[in-house]
Amino acid sequence: MDKVTEELKKGLKLLKQEWQEDLAQYKKKFLNTALQARKQEGITWYPVQVKKVKIGMGERLLVEIEKLDHHQPSSFQSGKSVSFFTNQEGYQSTDFRVNGVINTVRKESMVVTLQSDELPEWMEGSRLGVDLLFDEASYREMEYALKQVIKADIPRIKEFKELLLGEQSPQFTSKSREEKKQLNSSQNQACQKIAEAKDVAIIHGPPGTGKTTTLIQAILEAAEARNSVLVCAPSNAAVDLLVEKLCDQGISTLRLGHPARVEEKILNQTLDAKTAQHDSYRDLKKLRKEIDQYLKLAKQYKRNFGPEERRQRKMLFDEVGRIRDAARQLEEYISYDIFQQTQVIACTLVGASSVQLKGMVFDVVFIDEAAQGLEAATWIPILKAKKVVFAGDHLQLPPTIKSFEASREGLAETLMEKVIRRKPESAVLLKTQYRMNRQIMGFSNAYFYNGELQAAPNTVNHWFEDEPILEWIDTAGAGYIDRQEEDSLSTFNPEEAAFACRYLEDLVKRIGVGKFKENKWSIGLIAPYSAQVRYLRNLIFESFDYPNLKAFAELITIDTVDGFQGQERDLLLISLTRSNDRGEIGFLADERRMNVALTRAKRKLVLIGDSSTLASNPFFDSILGYFEENGGYRSVWEFME
């Protein structure tokens, strides 16, 4: 067996390991678990009540439900599959469950697209609940894609297998391309590389370097050259952002995927919406109405009827079949017409396995956020590609993996990482960043990007007057000890959280509450641990201890590092949380995750943490040294009254 096939087979084995671990964790939380325990795990809302029912895009049934128990945690997210159930007498079997997909989730309510034409009567009653489902479909598609690459019985797939992972070198042609004034030098260089690539090209760079801007320009140029284009990303949010920006450029874009998983502002770009807007849709609706009418007539005949009634019913069912065929043909024509008028098709990595794309091959497949997609998922759109373009930052967040063993054995390494290491000639680094002040950029630039980055001229103004740009507030010796949350075992540090809130309130007063409101300067609080995030949210949004912060809560975001991926804030505080005598820092040692946290800030970056615990790690020792060099080191004792 050749090395590449061996590597792919190992990847398949690790994928199955991850699949089993994900399912095992779900079963542990869900199956054979009492209702109260499922509520505490955040995978069941009970009781809930239906607030509103309406017909959404594509004539799908939408329900808005409200949680009646406001104190239970929640793992529900938009795009996830759910199942409604009731504890009413006589309705407790699985026959009375209805599944759906979450559109949006708020603190106490969610909107769900039901996989049903009408609302069952039991959903209108009391004792209604909703469970989070485990969805194996994505794993099946990833498994299938890897097996196709291993088998490689299609010539282009066989070539990609060797081009991306093996000894074969990617090919480039010399191509004249007019440089775009709106792009900087490295962005133009990246677009040139994409234009010249016959097989593969990579755009990479840290936040604020304009990866999305560059990618949109490259897609625009590919569409103008009349190439068929597929655009993908691991998450629905990333796909939606690209679709929005492509539509702003006047590119006719079709967003594939369940409408419940699509941002509301781009719903008009979905197949359901474009079907409803099509000139022939009125005829399709008419045919569907006729089907319903004939079915109602046919169902009027009961069991006890004679030959004439039987003949009449058969004629009605025959007519239903004829009209259904006509409706199916008209649907196919509408879909064909929509695809013909589309310049760019967009979907998630797994969404590229859609039946609507069956048999299609694209001149160029663009994959954004490629450093966050599992290798198996990334192969799904590549199976449909003549050329592939990766965009992302392999030095920021890797994919989320449940199995520690599978991650350690190599599942965390993405296809983009492998290609950038093995085929460096296919990659271009974007070198000018427009987000961070030069001091904020400095550490990550030196540690991760070999000092190749430059701060754009606009970042000179990214600072608060009379305020240091960098601060590490050292809590060593203050007795701020981390502890574990009893239910989740997640780490939190209540004293550090309280200090972070006091410090932030004083800082906002010092800079000026009016200035924050007037300039709409955003504030972010990052904590690596979900328990610390919950504690901070409770202090600022629920308690009355920090009224000045609560007064403009709309400008404040508190989340984990993962929650801040792809975002920026004018002022950013990071509560590092870990403080103990053992020098344990847990997954804070994940340098790439910390790189994400350190590169969110535009004007001011504040780290709050215990140097005696953290600086025993060489990475944090380097960060602390950088802050000291730039006059940013302070002790918590300076703030004690």
Side-chain angles (χ1 to χ4, degrees), residues 16 111 134 145 179 235 346 349 360 424 533 538 576 618:
K16 288 178 178 177
V111 176
F134 182 77
E179 290 206 348
S235 70
L349 297 175
M360 292 181 73
V533 167
N538 184 63
L576 294 167

Side-chain angles (χ1 to χ4, degrees), residues 361-541:
V361 176
F362 295 87
D363 294 319
V364 196
V365 169
F366 291 89
I367 302 177
D368 195 17
E369 304 289 7
Q372 289 179 56
L374 286 173
E375 179 180 345
T378 308
W379 279 111
I380 297 172
I382 296 174
L383 294 176
K384 300 180 179 298
K386 292 181 183 176
K387 175 165 96 175
V388 61
V389 177
F390 297 101
D393 184 359
H394 57 295
L395 299 170
Q396 299 246 335
L397 280 184
T400 302
I401 294 174
K402 302 282 177 69
S403 167
F404 175 76
E405 285 295 319
S407 179
R408 192 181 63 182
E409 288 293 315
L411 190 67
E413 188 177 21
T414 63
L415 186 57
M416 177 179 162
E417 285 179 79
K418 290 181 178 182
V419 177
I420 208 168
R421 191 177 71 249
R422 300 175 193 188
K423 319 285 178 179
E425 69 274 24
S426 63
V428 175
L429 172 68
L430 301 181
K431 296 179 180 178
T432 306
Q433 74 81 23
Y434 298 86
R435 172 188 294 173
M436 297 165 272
N437 182 286
R438 185 177 52 80
Q439 282 190 33
I440 297 172
M441 177 191 80
F443 176 78
S444 287
N445 185 23
Y447 196 91
F448 292 101
Y449 303 103
N450 301 317
E452 292 186 61
L453 303 181
Q454 299 169 340
N458 69 301
T459 61
V460 172
N461 299 318
H462 288 180
W463 63 294
F464 295 114
E465 198 174 340
D466 300 325
E467 276 295 319
I469 293 162
L470 296 173
E471 283 189 286
W472 178 311
I473 301 171
D474 188 1
T475 64
Y480 297 176
I481 305 300
D482 64 46
R483 56 192 82 172
Q484 278 192 328
E485 200 174 53
E486 195 173 324
D487 293 337
S488 70
L489 302 180
S490 179
T491 303
F492 72 114
N493 189 325
E495 292 86 4
E496 183 175 295
F499 172 77
C501 293
R502 287 197 305 274
Y503 170 85
L504 179 58
E505 191 167 52
D506 290 343
L507 178 60
V508 169
K509 276 186 202 171
R510 198 162 64 241
I511 295 171
V513 175
K515 284 184 180 178
F516 269 90
K517 288 189 173 180
E518 184 185 331
N519 294 295
K520 294 186 176 175
W521 285 331
S522 54
I523 299 171
L525 265 77
I526 290 181
Y529 296 91
S530 54
Q532 186 77 341
V533 167
R534 285 191 287 275
Y535 200 88
L536 285 162
R537 283 176 178 168
N538 184 63
L539 285 176
I540 290 178
F541 300 139

Side-chain angles (χ1 to χ4, degrees), residues 47-96:
V48 299
Q49 66 179 12
V50 176
K51 282 181 67 181
K52 198 183 292 180
V53 182
K54 67 175 183 178
I55 302 298
M57 199 66 74
E59 299 190 6
R60 296 175 190 261
L61 190 65
L62 298 179
V63 293
E64 183 179 353
I65 59 163
E66 184 178 37
K67 183 165 50 171
L68 300 179
D69 179 354
H70 295 173
H71 298 292
Q72 56 185 302
S74 175
S75 298
F76 290 77
Q77 297 172 350
S78 61
K80 295 282 189 181
S81 297
V82 294
S83 178
F84 285 94
F85 66 91
T86 181
N87 278 339
Q88 289 181 57
E89 197 69 43
Y91 291 95
Q92 293 174 4
S93 77
T94 52
D95 295 339
F96 294 102

